[in-house]
Amino acid sequence: MTDIPQDHPRYHSLMTRHRIVSGVDKGITSQEGLIAQGRGEAFDYLIGEETLPSARAAEYAAAATILLAERPVISVNGNAAALVPAELVQLSDITGAPLEVNLFYRTGERVLKIIEHLQAHGAGQVLGGQPDAAIPGLSSQRCKVCRSGIYSADVVFVPLEDGDRCEALVGMGKKVVAVDLNPLSRTAQCATISIVDNVVRAVPNMVGMVMELKGRDAGYLHGIVKDFNNKRGLADVMDFISRHLSEIN
Ligand code: PTJ
């Protein structure tokens, strides 16, 4: 519970911050996750705290890519679990993509708490508790994955993280769909589809888009993916930020 008044001009941002703090209190989110959230907030401010048209296009292409995938997987870390647990469970349900907990600051206890947290939000089986494979070339704890999940996935959805694993997953030949508010981050720069948006907007948007696209044939979905240009999308965000800053001055 929080006593932030609903008419506070920064209500939504403060509530999001509160969810991360509460994630730390529950042992779901790492303390470093607070710093990551702060960095994200700064970039969110620069993009006007709304979904830009380029992000919407990326979310649309991401929804189509996940629907076209043979073995899509949704990777969950401590921040995403605190911010959008119900929405991630919903995305998993409607796409058939399993949820797998994968952490940078990994402890067995935190993995278990995140699995339980997702299950409290309606998830069935959640992968990640007993990793039995490793992402080649990655020395961090993030290398620990499930063979039936991230290891054999063709498309991995990663709502915000550090860049190393994104590079390693792309190196394994996978398509990576990443959400990252920092268009300059290694994750955003190396992902197959980079969604420069806040996960609290991006994931619900994607749920709506998947529902809309679910009945469409593969040709239509391939068309959406083909029309999407990731480099152009990132350049559009940078253009928006520069224009936005010069308008403020
Ligand atoms: O739960 P763990 O142990 O896996 O750790 C997760 C964090 C996020 C702490 C870890 O992966 C980390 O340290 O990440 P970084 O290197 O701080 O990168 C996080 C990226 O996510 C930054 O580029 C932020 O701008 C971005 N970000 C932060 N909050 C959001 C976000 N992007 C979208 N939505 C957000 N709410």
Side-chain angles (χ1 to χ4, degrees):
M1 287 298 283
T2 145
D3 53 9
I4 300 164
Q6 286 202 18
D7 61 353
H8 190 288
R10 308 236 11 100
Y11 177 76
H12 292 293
S13 172
L14 292 172
M15 285 305 290
T16 304
R17 192 179 278 188
H18 175 75
R19 268 188 266 167
I20 288 284
V21 171
S22 145
V24 175
D25 289 344
K26 289 179 190 153
I28 290 168
T29 309
S30 66
Q31 291 190 343
E32 291 80 358
L34 297 169
I35 298 167
Q37 171 68 17
R39 180 152 41 155
E41 280 181 12
F43 280 100
D44 208 9
Y45 211 77
L46 293 176
I47 62 166
E49 295 177 307
E50 59 182 21
T51 301
L52 297 179
S54 56
R56 195 167 295 281
E59 286 159 7
Y60 215 53
T65 299
I66 292 171
L67 284 173
L68 284 167
E70 274 172 34
R71 297 178 70 95
V73 173
I74 300 171
S75 180
V76 184
N77 68 10
N79 286 50
L83 291 177
V84 280
E87 295 83 349
L88 288 171
V89 171
Q90 205 183 352
L91 190 64
S92 166
D93 281 348
I94 59 179
T95 57
L99 297 161
E100 177 167 341
V101 177
N102 177 274
L103 303 180
F104 185 75
Y105 301 103
R106 184 184 178 99
T107 66
E109 194 190 346
R110 199 151 69 84
V111 173
L112 211 65
K113 283 190 174 168
I114 295 175
I115 292 175
E116 285 169 3
H117 181 65
L118 293 169
Q119 286 173 337
H121 284 86
Q125 198 204 3
V126 178
L127 301 171
Q130 280 155 342
D132 54 1
I135 300 174
L138 198 60
S139 51
S140 75
Q141 292 284 321
R142 274 212 191 281
C143 77
K144 295 180 179 170
V145 290
C146 291
R147 194 164 287 280
S148 61
I150 290 173
Y151 191 82
S152 16
D154 55 348
V155 173
V156 186
F157 176 47
V158 287
L160 84 100
E161 65 162 23
D162 51 288
D164 287 9
R165 189 178 60 141
C166 182
E167 279 173 3
L169 291 174
V170 170
M172 285 175 87
K174 301 179 192 304
K175 290 181 184 157
V176 177
V177 173
V179 182
D180 195 323
L181 278 161
N182 177 2
L184 300 169
S185 75
R186 270 181 310 140
T187 303
Q189 292 293 324
C190 92
T192 319
I193 299 180
S194 311
I195 300 170
V196 183
D197 200 2
N198 198 316
V199 286
V200 302
R201 297 187 297 269
V203 180
N205 284 348
M206 283 172 64
V207 166
M209 290 168 185
V210 166
M211 303 286 264
E212 179 201 326
L213 292 175
K214 245 189 135 173
R216 308 305 294 245
D217 60 44
Y220 185 84
L221 300 178
H222 279 296
I224 292 172
V225 177
K226 199 165 147 280
D227 287 346
F228 174 72
N229 181 328
N230 203 47
K231 274 207 160 66
R232 164 98 48 80
L234 287 169
D236 284 350
V237 176
M238 295 306 294
D239 271 359
F240 178 89
I241 291 175
S242 328
R243 272 188 285 114
H244 191 194
L245 287 175
S246 51
E247 278 162 17
I248 290 169
N249 273 326

